[in-house]
Amino acid sequence: MEEKKVQIDKKILFSLIGILSFLIIFLIIYFFFLPRFRFSDFDEKIDISFANDFSYQSDNVCYGTFFNCEKVKVLEEGSVDTSKLGSYKVTYVFSYNDKKISKDQIVNVVDNESPVIEINGEEPLNYCANGKGYGYKVLATDNYDGDISDKVTSKIVDDKIVFEVVDSSGNKGILEKKGILNDKELPIIKLNGESSVFIPLNGEYIEANATATDNCDGDLTNKITIDGSVDETKTGEYKLVYKVKDSNNNESSTTRYVYVYQASDYPSLDGKNVYLTFDDGPSKYTGKLLDVLKKYNVKATFFVTDQGLTKGYDDVLKRAYDEGHTIGLHSASHNYGYIYSNLDAYFNDLYAIQDKVKRITGFAPMIVRFPGGGSNTISANYDNGSHIMSMLTKAVQAKGFRYFDWNVDSKDANGAKTSAQVASNVINSLGNKNTYVVLQHDIKEFSVDAVETIIQFGLSHGYSFQALKMDSPRVEHRINN
Ligand code: ZN
């Protein structure tokens, strides 16, 4: 019994060895001697980095035995766009004589490069109590997404600021910089509206408020406080101080001055009266001059002409008259050679301009300004030695006219070329006298544009603006001819 058992076991063992040997022989034949397509290296699935070159993987295939493998023909189909992330399928057909085999390859174009963060600023970088950094610039660039600076986040870790950014493929870029808690920057506060505001007595002051921003706290507009107030029922200068503090107690302030002025129709005897006068118009600039005068309820005087440039502005002259300004007579022709040749010529010209004004306004003015002023010497070139200014200054008064020269020259006809120059020439001439008659020309835009500044200065410094009347204080030059 025992022997038999051993015999059976031996049988099984031999059979197994036989099968095994057969298999080994078969495999050896298969691997080394059977002709077939042989792939030494072929990836059915590969990743390729964005923007790198893709090349077909066909060199490592041959047909034959292990010992003698020959080149095959390769047909590739399908293209890979490495400028776009995604999955692409490429099909290879390998052929040798009439044998063919086809293989698919999945090519994944991926972005596995991390974005790069750069900081433009000196270490340690400043950060606020709320963790927000400031005073430096953050740049983040990614090989695929480009500029992703706006996606950078930062957090404070111990004494460092840790910047992080993730690109659209999930690659993370990290940068650490030394940081320091430090907020010494003041909030920025800005007034809405003008820093000087002029309102007539008993007018309404409307608070325009201000805005404030801070490097750490952002918008602080609703934290602004205003010190001071305006009493619209009392003339004077009022100071409003706008203040704002950031969370680190840095304070900024700005100031607005409000002037409550009284526009009076009558010159004050002991006050400082300014008579703005404008010669040679009306012109295309007179309309906007009237707008400014109206805004401040200031009355002025226009010594008008009938020169070519005044054509088409009769309605402006009418408006000036209707709005309470004084229309004075300058000259119809403004032609020195004619008007100063003799008395008849002068009065012919004067009555011509008076007729024009009367035709337009219904009123015949009796207030006069001589072209060149009462002190002019140019008239001596045309009057044949008759000293016509000496005669005229008496003759106009004998006929009931009243002439006015000036004691403040804006120099808009001799030297000043800008509004700023005109304004400062006038402003610097104003002092504590009772009467200032200012010479300007409303045919010059830069001179017209200086008027608002002059008025603002005057109103805020106690001057009263008046139009010339027949009984206004006399301002007359010395006669030189
Ligand atoms: Zn003139």
Side-chain angles (χ1 to χ4, degrees):
M1 284 287 276
E2 275 190 349
E3 259 183 27
K4 210 177 187 181
K5 198 182 175 185
V6 170
Q7 273 180 355
I8 291 168
D9 288 349
K10 272 185 182 168
K11 261 185 190 171
I12 292 170
L13 190 66
F14 284 134
S15 305
L16 281 174
I17 289 169
I19 291 167
L20 213 62
S21 307
F22 180 78
L23 268 175
I24 288 166
I25 290 162
F26 175 80
L27 285 173
I28 288 170
I29 291 170
Y30 180 82
F31 277 112
F32 291 99
F33 298 99
L34 202 70
R36 59 188 168 87
F37 288 97
R38 293 176 177 271
F39 295 84
S40 62
D41 185 16
F42 185 86
D43 301 309
E44 287 181 0
K45 213 173 172 186
I46 58 168
D47 285 350
I48 173 165
S49 281
F50 157 73
N52 280 13
D53 285 340
F54 169 75
S55 51
Y56 292 98
Q57 205 180 354
S58 54
D59 285 349
N60 305 328
V61 183
C62 59
Y63 187 89
T65 66
F66 179 80
F67 305 103
N68 181 20
C69 197
E70 289 182 29
K71 254 183 122 66
V72 296
K73 274 191 191 162
V74 188
L75 195 86
E76 301 132 348
E77 252 181 21
S79 65
V80 176
D81 181 358
T82 62
S83 71
K84 271 186 198 150
L85 300 188
S87 193
Y88 299 86
K89 191 170 108 173
V90 175
T91 302
Y92 298 81
V93 177
F94 303 103
S95 62
Y96 181 81
N97 292 338
D98 54 347
K99 296 185 177 61
K100 270 185 189 170
I101 188 168
S102 101
K103 283 259 188 193
D104 285 344
Q105 184 180 49
I106 302 300
V107 180
N108 289 314
V109 177
V110 297
D111 170 23
N112 44 22
E113 227 175 272
S114 293
V116 177
I117 303 175
E118 272 179 282
I119 302 298
N120 224 323
E122 293 287 311
E123 274 183 290
L125 304 174
N126 295 313
Y127 63 87
C128 306
N130 59 14
K132 197 186 150 206
Y134 73 95
Y136 54 84
K137 250 191 133 161
V138 182
L139 287 168
T141 46
D142 182 62
N143 63 325
Y144 187 72
D145 299 333
D147 185 355
I148 50 171
S149 303
D150 58 334
K151 294 208 164 66
V152 177
T153 60
S154 69
K155 60 184 177 198
I156 311 297
V157 179
D158 301 325
D159 61 343
K160 291 192 192 85
I161 306 182
V162 180
F163 298 92
E164 237 183 69
V165 70
V166 179
D167 71 12
S168 58
S169 299
N171 302 301
K172 194 191 275 187
I174 294 182
L175 183 68
E176 286 186 1
K177 289 274 176 186
K178 282 211 172 74
I180 186 165
L181 175 60
N182 179 20
D183 175 20
K184 295 201 174 87
E185 259 184 54
L186 301 180
I188 295 163
I189 183 164
K190 270 188 194 149
L191 290 178
N192 298 330
E194 302 293 319
S195 59
S196 295
V197 174
F198 297 83
I199 53 168
L201 185 66
N202 296 316
E204 192 190 353
Y205 172 66
I206 296 162
E207 181 53 62
N209 292 309
T211 57
T213 55
D214 183 63
N215 62 318
C216 283
D217 302 316
D219 189 355
L220 285 177
T221 299
N222 58 15
K223 295 249 160 65
I224 296 173
T225 59
I226 306 175
D227 290 353
S229 61
V230 178
D231 182 354
E232 295 104 326
T233 66
K234 267 188 194 157
T235 58
E237 176 189 298
Y238 298 90
K239 189 178 174 182
L240 299 175
V241 182
Y242 300 72
K243 289 181 187 165
V244 71
K245 266 185 195 174
D246 70 11
S247 53
N248 204 34
N249 273 332
N250 298 306
E251 188 177 64
S252 290
S253 70
T254 183
T255 303
R256 189 190 329 262
Y257 291 93
V258 180
Y259 301 97
V260 177
Y261 64 88
Q262 183 163 25
S264 86
D265 288 340
Y266 299 98
S268 104
L269 288 176
D270 56 351
K272 305 178 287 185
N273 300 295
V274 177
Y275 298 85
L276 297 177
T277 71
F278 300 93
D279 288 8
D280 295 2
S283 81
K284 58 177 167 179
Y285 310 121
T286 308
K288 72 170 171 179
L289 171 55
L290 290 172
D291 292 342
V292 171
L293 297 173
K294 193 175 193 175
K295 179 175 170 189
Y296 295 93
N297 195 21
V298 159
K299 300 292 183 267
T301 304
F302 293 86
F303 288 106
V304 299
T305 65
D306 194 22
Q307 305 173 78
L309 59 88
T310 67
K311 293 260 181 309
Y313 298 102
D314 288 0
D315 52 335
V316 180
L317 196 158
K318 175 77 162 60
R319 180 186 158 195
Y321 177 77
D322 289 345
E323 292 184 354
H325 302 289
T326 292
I327 308 300
L329 308 173
H330 195 35
S331 166
S333 66
H334 210 288
N335 179 343
Y336 292 109
Y338 174 63
I339 61 173
Y340 291 143
S341 60
N342 60 67
L343 289 182
D344 283 349
Y346 178 82
F347 281 106
N348 277 341
D349 177 89
L350 186 67
Y351 287 126
I353 186 62
Q354 191 189 44
D355 285 348
K356 177 188 171 181
V357 175
K358 187 174 182 194
R359 176 173 50 79
I360 294 168
T361 67
F363 175 77
M366 295 297 283
I367 288 179
V368 171
R369 172 167 288 155
F370 294 111
S375 56
N376 82 76
T377 52
I378 191 171
S379 53
N381 297 340
Y382 310 109
D383 68 355
N384 289 312
S386 65
H387 300 296
I388 193 161
M389 292 318 297
S390 301
M391 295 192 291
L392 272 180
T393 46
K394 293 192 182 78
V396 291
Q397 294 183 82
K399 292 178 188 287
F401 293 99
R402 162 69 43 91
Y403 76 90
F404 288 90
D405 286 316
W406 57 89
N407 56 10
V408 174
D409 187 354
S410 71
K411 296 199 164 61
D412 66 349
N414 54 20
K417 292 274 180 284
T418 66
S419 297
Q421 289 168 349
V422 169
S424 75
N425 286 342
V426 174
I427 287 168
N428 292 334
S429 303
L430 299 179
N432 286 314
K433 287 198 283 190
N434 181 269
T435 304
Y436 294 94
V437 178
V438 179
L439 172 66
Q440 287 185 257
H441 296 81
D442 56 332
I443 54 172
K444 299 191 183 227
E445 189 172 25
F446 68 92
S447 189
V448 165
D449 288 343
V451 171
E452 185 157 13
T453 306
I454 294 167
I455 291 174
Q456 289 186 342
F457 174 86
L459 291 176
S460 56
H461 288 80
Y463 293 88
S464 166
F465 288 88
Q466 304 295 328
L468 288 170
K469 301 273 158 48
M470 289 296 280
D471 59 352
S472 292
R474 305 179 76 149
V475 173
E476 294 166 0
H477 292 166
R478 197 167 62 93
I479 308 303
N480 295 315
N481 174 33

